[in-house]
Amino acid sequence: MIGNHPRENAENILEVRDLVQTFSQPYGILDRLTGKPRKTVHAVNGVSFSIRRKEVFSLVGESGCGKSTTARTIVRLLEPRSGSIVFDGEDISAYSPTRMMHVRKKMQMIFQDPYASLNPRQRIKDIIMEPMLFHKTVAGKEEAHAEMYRLLDIVGFRPEQAERYPHQFSGGQRQRIGIARALSTNPSFIVADEPVSALDVSIQAQVLNLMMDLKDEFSLSYLFIAHDLSVVRHVTERLGIMYLGFLVEQGDRDVIFDTPLHPYTRALLAAAPTLDRERTGDPLQGDVPSPIDLPPGCPFVSRCPRRMDVCSRERPVLRKIEGRFAACHLYQ
Amino acid sequence: MAELLLEVRNLRTYFELFRGTVKAVDGVSFTLEAGEILGIVGESGGGKSVTGFSLLGLIDPPGRIADGEVIFRGEDLLKKSAEEMRRIRGKEISMIFQDPMTSLNPLQTIGRQLDEMLALHTSLSASQRRNRAVELLTEVGIPNPADRLENYPHQFSGGMRQRVVIAIALAANPGLIIADEPTTALDVTVQAQILTLMENLVKKFGSSLILITHDLAVVSEMTHRVAVMYCGRIVEEGPTKELIRAPYHPYTMGLLESIPRMAGTRLPRLPQIPGMVPSLFDLPRGCSFEPRCPRATARCREEIPEMRRMTGNRRTACHNPQTAGKEAADYDR
Amino acid sequence: MTKKDGFFQSEFFHNFVRSPGAMAGLVVVLFFLLMAVFGPFFTPQNPYDIGTLDLMDAYKPPVWMEGGDPAFVLGTDEQGRDMLSAIVYGSRISLFISMIVVVLSCIFGTVLGLTAGYFGGRLDSFLMRIVDIQLSFPAMLVALFIMAAFGRGFGKLVAALTIVGWVLYARTVRSSVLVEKKKEYVDAARLIGLSPFPIIVRHVLPNVLTPLIVIATIQVGTVILTEATLSYLGVGVPVTRPSLGLLVKNGYDVLFSGLWWSSVFPGMFIMLLVFGINLLGDFLRDEFNPRLK
C-alpha cells in the first residue's frame, strides 16, 4: 500500500492506516471438540484514508460494506484488530480509556436512529449538559446551563423545550438534539453515522443544512457515513466507496461522480433512483457475498460485469488513476 | 381507453386514540386503470400506508373506515363481508409489505407458504401447485427454484426474500397489487433489481400496481401516475413525468426542491420546506400545508381546498397553485 | 402531544380507572393494606396475647351458625383465637414478609442482572449458569431445603425466599439490558467517556425498570403463596406469629371434623389477596407492553 496515501501532515485531523476489524462468530467448547473451523467476519479489511481539517469526507456503501464498523472503530467504540488511527497528531488506536479521555471531547458522533440515540429517561437539557459537565469544558453548573441554552438555540429549539423528554419530539427534532449533544464539548471532529437516513425528505434537508451551517460556524470536520449517494453528493468534498470491507475507490467528489472508474462505483451510481433521468436497464445482479469467507481475489469479482481472469486470483490494490484512487485490475 | 379497475371515492379512515381522533385518511379519491402503475407518495404520517391497508379492509380497531367507497371491478369492497374480503385478498388484490423479514413466516418453508397461497385461491392439484411454485420462483429470478422450495426464509438474503414475497403476491394472478414501501429496507443495488423485476412482472401479467413510497425518485422512475399525500389528503395528482417536471402544489414543489440531485449544479444549501409537519391530533383549520406554504393566502387558513382539475388529467387541491405548473428548476433561485 | 401533563391526565391513569380488573385489584389490595396498617386498632382481640385467650372459646363457629358468638364473627381456632383478628394480624405478617422479600430479591437480582447483561462474556455465562441451575430445582424444594437446614425464624425465612426469588429478576433485567445495550444512546454515553458504572446506573437502569415493576407486583402474590405453603409444611413462620398460611395449617387438622372455618377463612383471604395482586399485575403488564408505534 505504499505511496497511496496523502503524506502524514498537520493539515489532517484524522489519518487512518490499514485499519482492520474482525468479529468472531460465537465459538464454544462443543465447536472446538467437533473440529468446526473458527469463523471470522472480516468487516474492515485494511482501510486507509485521511480527512483534512474543516473537510467533509464520506464513506459510502451498502449494508455490510463496513462503513459503520470503520466509523465505530475510529471513535474506539470498537477495538481495532490492527492498523493505526491518528487523530489530531496522536495515534489513538491503542489508547487506554484514561488516555482517551482528552481525545473524547474533541471527537463526537451523531447517530442514525433518532428513536434510539437519546436516553428516553433523560431530559433534553441533561442529555446536552452531560458531556460538557463530565469533561469540565464549562466552569460549573451555571455556565453549563448557559451553554446548553445556547446550543439549543443554535439547533432551533426554544429554551422551555429543554425540560422535555425525547419522546415528546419528532424524528427530525431528535436528530437535532443529537447534534446539540455532539457539539456539547466543542469538538473539532464529528462522525455522522447515517444521520439523515431515517428522516423524511423534507426534514432531511433541514438537518443537512444545519450540519453544513455548523461546519462553517464551528470549523468542524465530518466523517459522513451514508448509503444515499445524492445526499453524499450534496455534503461531501471527498469520498470513499466501500465494498465488503475494502475501499474500492476514493477521491474528490466531482471526479468520482462525473467519471467513476470502479465497476462497483458505476453500478452504485446507476442504481440510485433519481429524479433526473430514466432508469437504465440491467441493474447489477446478485447479492453481496458473505464477509466470512472472503474470495481470494477482488471482493467484487462475483458480481462484476467486467471481470477478468486475474480478478479471481489477485486482490487489486488502491492505485492513483486519473486523479483519484481505485482498486481495480482494469486500470493496472 | 382502458376500463377502470379501481375507483376510490372519498375514503376516510380515522383512528380513535386516547389523545384524540387521528384522521389518517381524510377524503381521498383516485382511480386506477387496468395495467397502470400508480404511485402514492408522501412523508411519514401522510396517510399513504393507511390508504393501502384501507383498500384491503385491513384496518383494526382503534381504526375504522369512517366513510367512502372502494369500487373494485364494479363492486364496493367496503360493503363486502369478512368472508368475501378473505376471498378477494390474495386472489384479486395482493399486498407486498415493507419488511420481508416479518412478512414471511419464519417457521415455514417458502414452498409451504407458496403452496398455501395457491391452495387457497386456485383449484390446482398438489403436484400442479408445486410446478406452479417453481415457475413463480423462476419468474422472480431465484436460482435453483426447485431446491429452494425447501428453504426457510432466514436462508435467503433480504433481496431474495422480497422476491419470494413478490412471488407469493403474484401466485394467484391478482388484478391489483398494492406494494407498501417494498424496497425501503433493501440496499440500493438490490432495490434497483426488485423495482425492475416488479415493473416487468406487472407488465407481463397485466396487473395494476399501486406503489406506496416516500421516495419521489423511485416513483419518478417507475410509475405512470402519482398522487402526492399530505396529512391524510391528496394534494396533487397526475401523470408522473409532468407532475415532477412542473408541479402545481407548493408542497410537491417543496419536496422536489429539497431532494439533493445526482447531477447538475450543486446548491450550497438545499431548499427546505420551513416548519414541521403538524401533529395529526391538531391539524390546521383550513389547508393543512398553509403554515409552511410560501404561497399561502388568507383563504388558505380558513378553507380546506377541494381537488380540482387543472390542465389535462392533472388535479390539485390548492387555492393558489403555481400557475401553469412552474418548472421545478426555476423556482425562486 | 397533549398539553396536559399531570399523572391524572395521563393515558395510564385513564385506562386504569376504566379497567374493571385494575380497579377491582386496587380495591382489594388497598383493603388489605388498610387492614394491615389499621386493623390492629379495630380487632376485638390481639391474637398474640396469650393472656387474652380463653381455651373455653376454642372452636366456636362463625356468628351466623348454630353456637356462634357475636364476639367472634368468624369463629375461633383451637386456641380460642378470634379468626377475624388472627386473619388481620396474619395478613400483616404475610404482606410484610412478601414485600421485604420482593424488595430484597429485586435489588439483588437487578444488580446481578445488570452486571451480567452489560458486561457479558464469562461473567454473564457464569451468572446465568447459576440462574439455570437454580431454576431447575422447584422453588419450593430449594426453600424447604434451606429452612430445614437452618431452622425456623423470620430472618431465615426471608433469606430463603430471597434466595429463591432473585433469579427471576436477574433474568428479566438481563434480557432488557441486552436490548438497551444495543441502542445508540448507550454508545453515546460510552463515547462521552463515561465508565461502565455511571452508564449502567444513569442510562441503562432507568430504562429496564418497567418490566421489573410488573414482575415485582405479581411476585408479591407469588411470595405470599410460597410462604403460605412453607408455613403449611411447618417450615415457615414461627408458630407464635402465624401468617395466613400457618393459620390454614393450624385449622387443617380439624378441617374434616366439620370445623372448617379456622382453615377456610384464612385460605379465602389468601386467595383474595393474591387474586387482587394478580389483577393489578395483569393490568400493568398489558399497559406497559409496547404496542402500536
Side-chain angles (χ1 to χ4, degrees):
Chain A
M1 297 279 176
I2 337 158
N4 288 335
H5 319 291
R7 300 185 323 278
E8 188 173 313
N9 58 37
E11 264 180 34
N12 292 333
I13 188 142
L14 178 74
E15 283 170 19
V16 174
R17 292 275 162 82
D18 300 323
L19 192 64
V20 172
Q21 186 58 275
T22 57
F23 301 109
S24 323
Q25 295 280 61
Y27 187 74
I29 305 176
L30 209 58
D31 298 318
R32 217 189 303 248
L33 288 175
T34 55
K36 177 172 154 191
R38 185 155 210 166
K39 290 208 180 144
T40 320
V41 175
H42 300 279
V44 180
N45 302 305
V47 161
S48 308
F49 60 89
S50 309
I51 304 183
R52 292 192 276 266
R53 291 176 201 276
K54 300 198 231 177
E55 184 184 42
V56 179
F57 180 87
S58 293
L59 278 179
V60 172
E62 298 176 293
S63 53
C65 71
K67 56 191 192 299
S68 275
T69 311
T70 305
R72 295 164 65 93
T73 307
I74 288 173
V75 296
R76 297 287 308 279
L77 274 177
L78 300 167
E79 299 306 312
R81 191 69 42 184
S82 71
S84 77
I85 305 166
V86 178
F87 177 72
D88 210 8
E90 298 175 70
D91 186 337
I92 64 168
S93 27
Y95 268 19
S96 67
T98 330
R99 293 191 77 184
M100 274 303 287
M101 213 49 85
H102 76 275
V103 177
R104 291 248 178 256
K105 57 175 182 253
K106 296 195 267 185
M107 167 198 271
Q108 271 303 316
M109 194 157 170
I110 302 170
F111 299 89
Q112 172 176 2
D113 186 352
Y115 296 94
S117 53
L118 303 175
N119 182 344
R121 306 268 181 205
Q122 250 185 333
R123 290 183 208 267
I124 305 305
K125 64 175 186 181
D126 295 315
I127 292 178
I128 298 177
M129 289 197 295
E130 190 172 16
M132 60 175 88
L133 285 171
F134 179 74
H135 284 283
K136 299 194 173 51
T137 52
V138 287
K141 272 245 162 166
E142 270 174 42
E143 199 184 320
H145 273 87
E147 182 65 10
M148 180 264 299
Y149 284 120
R150 188 182 77 98
L151 286 171
L152 270 185
D153 180 55
I154 291 176
V155 298
F157 286 94
R158 299 184 312 274
E160 59 268 22
Q161 293 177 291
E163 300 298 321
R164 303 224 186 119
Y165 288 93
H167 72 265
Q168 294 170 282
F169 294 97
S170 70
Q173 287 177 309
R174 283 186 228 206
Q175 213 58 334
R176 285 189 275 140
I177 294 168
I179 293 175
R181 172 179 60 192
L183 294 172
S184 174
T185 56
N186 213 349
S188 40
F189 177 68
I190 293 186
V191 174
D193 188 1
E194 308 252 24
V196 295
S197 305
L199 302 177
D200 279 327
V201 154
S202 57
I203 310 297
Q204 207 168 280
Q206 283 181 9
V207 173
L208 286 174
N209 285 340
L210 174 64
M211 286 177 69
M212 292 302 113
D213 290 341
L214 292 172
K215 166 179 170 272
D216 293 328
E217 189 172 335
F218 294 100
S219 304
L220 297 168
S221 319
Y222 283 119
L223 170 59
F224 197 93
I225 311 287
H227 65 271
D228 186 337
L229 280 165
S230 52
V231 165
V232 164
R233 181 170 180 260
H234 178 74
V235 302
T236 203
E237 290 151 54
R238 286 168 49 234
L239 69 148
I241 291 121
M242 288 186 70
Y243 188 83
L244 219 52
F246 295 90
L247 257 178
V248 297
E249 192 163 2
Q250 184 186 344
D252 287 342
R253 174 200 62 235
D254 291 330
V255 169
I256 302 228
F257 274 85
D258 294 339
T259 54
L261 287 185
H262 196 283
Y264 179 62
T265 316
R266 292 197 179 162
L268 211 53
L269 287 168
T274 68
L275 291 168
D276 313 83
R277 45 139 221 251
E278 281 290 336
R279 187 144 35 85
T280 46
D282 274 351
L284 186 66
Q285 291 308 313
D287 291 303
V288 182
S290 152
I292 292 178
D293 300 310
L294 288 181
C298 173
F300 191 54
V301 68
S302 59
R303 299 166 85 190
C304 186
R306 301 179 65 188
R307 59 173 164 268
M308 312 178 290
D309 280 334
V310 60
C311 300
S312 14
R313 289 194 314 264
E314 216 180 289
R315 195 161 282 165
V317 147
L318 267 181
R319 287 233 172 83
K320 186 157 187 149
I321 308 156
E322 293 180 37
R324 97 298 302 277
F325 293 92
C328 183
H329 288 302
L330 288 170
Y331 306 102
Q332 313 201 328
Chain B
M1 187 70 187
E3 17 96 39
L4 273 184
L5 181 70
L6 176 72
E7 189 179 349
V8 175
R9 286 190 208 143
N10 205 23
L11 179 66
R12 291 180 202 273
T13 306
Y14 297 164
F15 286 80
E16 312 287 350
L17 299 180
F18 174 70
R19 291 191 289 184
T21 303
V22 172
K23 297 187 174 169
V25 179
D26 196 19
V28 159
S29 308
F30 61 89
T31 60
L32 184 69
E33 291 169 7
E36 194 176 26
I37 302 180
L38 169 72
I40 300 185
V41 146
E43 299 178 297
S44 8
K48 49 193 198 303
S49 284
V50 177
T51 304
F53 287 116
S54 302
L55 296 183
L56 276 172
L58 291 174
I59 301 286
D60 294 325
R64 64 186 176 100
I65 300 182
D67 197 4
E69 298 168 302
V70 173
I71 302 177
F72 178 72
R73 286 183 174 150
E75 299 182 325
D76 187 357
L77 295 181
L78 297 180
K79 296 209 169 41
K80 294 219 174 253
S81 70
E83 182 58 43
E84 292 171 313
M85 276 312 288
R86 262 196 289 274
R87 259 179 270 135
I88 289 181
R89 284 186 213 122
K91 170 116 188 74
E92 312 214 28
I93 308 182
S94 232
M95 193 152 177
I96 296 172
F97 302 92
Q98 171 175 346
D99 191 355
M101 289 283 289
T102 51
S103 42
L104 289 173
N105 184 340
L107 297 177
Q108 283 183 345
T109 62
I110 57 145
R112 174 95 191 275
Q113 299 186 50
L114 268 167
D115 189 74
E116 190 176 42
M117 188 64 147
L118 288 166
L120 219 58
H121 295 294
T122 67
S123 43
L124 299 172
S125 71
S127 59
Q128 283 173 325
R129 289 200 297 269
R130 192 169 191 288
N131 292 337
R132 180 93 184 105
V134 172
E135 261 174 45
L136 284 165
L137 287 185
T138 318
E139 284 284 2
V140 297
I142 294 191
N144 301 325
D147 294 329
R148 306 228 67 183
L149 281 178
E150 306 306 314
N151 285 149
Y152 289 86
H154 70 265
Q155 293 169 286
F156 291 83
S157 69
M160 285 288 153
R161 252 180 246 144
Q162 200 63 314
R163 290 171 191 266
V164 170
V165 167
I166 294 173
I168 295 177
L170 288 172
N173 218 339
L176 169 63
I177 302 171
I178 304 175
D180 186 4
E181 307 265 18
T183 56
T184 306
L186 304 174
D187 281 321
V188 140
T189 51
V190 177
Q191 178 173 299
Q193 294 170 19
I194 300 293
L195 289 174
T196 312
L197 173 70
M198 283 177 68
E199 208 180 2
N200 293 338
L201 287 175
V202 156
K203 279 199 195 100
K204 180 167 179 185
F205 285 88
S207 1
S208 306
L209 173 67
I210 295 182
L211 180 64
I212 299 173
T213 177
H214 66 277
D215 193 337
L216 265 168
V218 164
V219 145
S220 78
E221 288 186 351
M222 247 189 98
T223 60
H224 302 128
R225 280 190 308 124
V226 61
V228 180
M229 286 187 73
Y230 186 77
C231 291
R233 300 188 191 118
I234 295 184
V235 296
E236 183 162 8
E237 191 240 312
T240 310
K241 296 252 175 324
E242 282 176 46
L243 190 148
I244 290 191
R245 198 177 36 85
Y248 281 116
H249 199 284
Y251 174 62
T252 317
M253 176 63 96
L255 269 189
L256 287 167
E257 303 261 279
S258 58
I259 296 176
R261 301 304 165 90
M262 288 285 281
T265 23
R266 272 185 66 244
L267 301 164
R269 252 182 153 258
L270 276 175
Q272 62 186 64
I273 306 180
M276 283 178 8
V277 180
S279 159
L280 286 172
F281 292 103
D282 200 9
L283 288 174
R285 184 171 55 221
C287 170
S288 301
F289 189 62
E290 183 271 326
R292 311 168 75 190
C293 185
R295 302 178 59 83
T297 65
R299 188 179 172 205
C300 301
R301 210 168 308 137
E302 301 301 317
E303 207 183 302
I304 298 178
E306 295 286 323
M307 246 338 206
R308 45 187 184 105
R309 182 167 298 282
M310 309 297 285
T311 60
N313 40 9
R314 296 190 56 181
R315 301 183 298 145
T316 190
C318 185
H319 294 307
N320 193 12
Q322 283 151 199
T323 47
K326 213 164 186 297
E327 296 276 337
D330 305 336
Y331 188 74
D332 266 5
R333 273 201 204 153
Chain C
M1 52 225 87
T2 179
K3 296 285 180 277
K4 309 163 277 186
D5 260 350
F7 171 73
F8 295 107
Q9 285 81 36
S10 69
E11 188 171 352
F12 178 85
F13 185 75
H14 175 98
N15 290 343
F16 191 91
V17 298
R18 276 161 187 73
S19 159
M23 291 304 282
L26 183 66
V27 165
V28 167
V29 170
L30 274 180
F31 166 69
F32 272 89
L33 282 173
L34 288 171
M35 184 172 79
V37 173
F38 297 110
F41 298 115
F42 295 103
T43 53
Q45 104 188 166
N46 178 347
Y48 301 145
D49 188 347
I50 316 251
T52 62
L53 299 181
D54 186 352
L55 268 175
M56 292 302 293
D57 291 324
Y59 294 129
K60 286 232 170 89
V63 66
W64 59 84
M65 283 174 63
E66 173 92 36
D69 186 340
F72 309 113
V73 176
L74 292 179
T76 60
D77 69 358
E78 82 285 358
Q79 293 191 29
R81 273 195 284 245
D82 171 39
M83 285 320 296
L84 184 57
S85 312
I87 286 173
V88 169
Y89 278 77
S91 305
R92 300 181 78 192
I93 307 279
S94 298
L95 271 172
F96 181 67
I97 292 181
S98 68
M99 284 193 185
I100 291 196
V101 167
V102 166
V103 167
L104 286 178
S105 48
C106 185
I107 294 177
F108 188 54
T110 301
V111 168
L112 287 180
L114 282 173
T115 315
Y118 188 81
F119 292 106
R122 296 237 177 89
L123 183 57
D124 180 26
S125 303
F126 174 68
L127 284 171
M128 286 305 111
R129 290 302 77 74
I130 296 184
V131 169
D132 288 340
I133 292 173
Q134 196 174 316
L135 282 173
S136 48
F137 292 97
M140 202 58 64
L141 223 51
V142 177
L144 254 165
F145 177 77
I146 297 176
M147 292 307 291
F150 295 107
R152 289 174 89 161
F154 266 121
K156 300 195 183 85
L157 179 62
V158 167
L161 289 171
T162 306
I163 291 173
V164 164
W166 72 271
V167 287
L168 183 57
Y169 303 96
R171 263 256 208 96
T172 310
V173 167
R174 177 184 173 270
S175 309
S176 297
V177 169
L178 288 179
V179 170
E180 295 304 305
K181 209 170 66 153
K182 289 202 177 74
K183 295 195 182 159
E184 294 166 333
Y185 71 84
V186 174
D187 285 336
R190 290 175 60 203
L191 220 59
I192 294 174
L194 296 174
S195 54
F197 187 73
I199 295 181
I200 293 177
V201 168
R202 213 184 301 160
H203 291 276
V204 178
L205 177 59
N207 288 296
V208 301
L209 285 181
T210 314
L212 263 189
I213 292 176
V214 175
I215 292 191
T217 308
I218 299 185
Q219 279 298 96
V220 174
T222 311
V223 172
I224 289 178
L225 286 176
T226 310
E227 176 273 312
T229 312
L230 286 177
S231 299
Y232 183 86
L233 294 173
V235 290
V237 290
V239 279
T240 48
R241 291 183 179 278
S243 65
L244 291 172
L246 195 52
L247 291 175
V248 171
K249 174 190 177 17
N250 292 340
Y252 183 74
D253 303 326
V254 292
L255 183 61
F256 294 103
S257 343
L259 305 168
W260 51 271
W261 54 87
S262 54
S263 194
V264 169
F265 284 132
M268 282 171 56
F269 272 75
I270 295 181
M271 196 189 78
L272 186 61
L273 174 56
V274 175
F275 183 58
I277 292 174
N278 282 345
L279 283 175
L280 267 184
D282 278 346
F283 173 79
L284 285 181
R285 190 199 306 118
D286 290 340
E287 202 47 34
F288 289 146
N289 207 1
R291 285 169 300 183
L292 331 150
K293 77 174 151 122

